[in-house]
Amino acid sequence: MREARKKEINGIAFQVSPFMVVEALRLKFYLAGILGPGMLELISGYNVSNTKKIEDLDLSSINLAGALEKLLSNLDENTFIALIKRLFQNVVATWTANGKSHAMALNSDFEVAMNLVFDGKIFTIYPLIAFILEVNYPDFFEVVVRGIGKKIRTITSSLVDEPILKSESEPLET
């Protein structure tokens, strides 16, 4: 069985354990249904004949607004929160606040955990989702998501003063 991995994101250390295989398959199917139309919209402007790798995708020619609209049309607020809760079921967060060290499993009391861990750092949720997907679907993540992520990071880099990701992911020491 694969080991838990850890990563520090925006001053919070996250430990992510992989899903059990059946849950990983269920979630992958669910995510494909939710994310599929938006991803298809995103790559619809991708000229396969001119580019050999997804990393070469020119996002400036793609309708990002259309892709986002398709993605959001498949989610309402309750479905979004249920998806986050499902994704975060194997996550433990460790952080320091007011000079005290805290640790909390995000599946214990979900709303309380979310409010404590992400207070003032709500954007941290999105890189954590990417890390959870990387831990659970490394083959897919490596080929598709990192390639697109590099392009999006290039486009949005001027919007962020300091990178949120503080360290590379590494296996959890046992």
Side-chain angles (χ1 to χ4, degrees), residues 5-161:
R5 292 179 51 199
K6 64 181 178 178
K7 179 180 248 180
E8 184 178 312
I9 305 171
N10 203 14
I12 305 168
F14 293 100
Q15 176 183 315
V16 176
S17 297
F19 299 123
M20 297 301 289
V21 173
V22 174
E23 176 60 11
L25 289 170
R26 284 185 178 130
L27 193 52
K28 190 173 188 180
F29 181 81
Y30 181 73
L31 288 171
I34 296 263
L35 302 176
M39 291 297 286
L40 288 173
E41 178 77 22
L42 183 66
I43 64 172
S44 66
Y46 179 56
N47 187 340
V48 178
S49 62
N50 291 339
T51 310
K52 294 183 180 179
K53 295 181 179 179
I54 195 120
E55 292 89 12
D56 298 330
L57 178 64
D58 179 10
L59 290 180
S60 65
S61 65
I62 292 178
N63 182 3
L64 289 174
L68 185 59
E69 180 181 348
K70 285 214 175 168
L71 174 63
L72 294 178
S73 72
N74 290 329
L75 290 171
D76 61 34
E77 66 184 76
N78 293 324
T79 304
F80 180 68
I81 295 301
L83 176 59
I84 297 294
K85 187 174 184 177
R86 196 168 172 189
L87 286 168
F88 288 9
Q89 66 184 305
N90 294 336
V91 176
V92 175
T94 306
W95 73 101
T96 301
N98 300 324
K100 290 184 175 182
S101 184
H102 304 275
M104 180 168 262
L106 296 181
N107 66 352
S108 56
D109 185 343
F110 181 72
E111 283 194 35
V112 170
M114 292 294 287
N115 290 332
L116 287 173
V117 173
F118 298 104
D119 184 36
K121 298 180 178 188
I122 197 164
F123 184 76
T124 305
I125 291 169
Y126 303 104
L128 176 57
I129 290 171
F131 181 55
I132 292 166
L133 294 175
E134 179 182 351
V135 168
N136 285 283
Y137 309 105
D139 50 349
F140 175 80
F141 194 90
E142 186 64 35
V143 172
V144 178
V145 178
R146 280 194 193 241
I148 292 173
K150 287 178 187 174
K151 295 295 182 177
I152 291 173
R153 201 169 19 251
T154 300
I155 290 171
T156 61
S157 64
S158 63
L159 301 175
V160 179
D161 294 330

Side-chain angles (χ1 to χ4, degrees), residues 3-4 171-174:
E3 293 182 14
L172 182 65
E173 294 177 9
T174 54

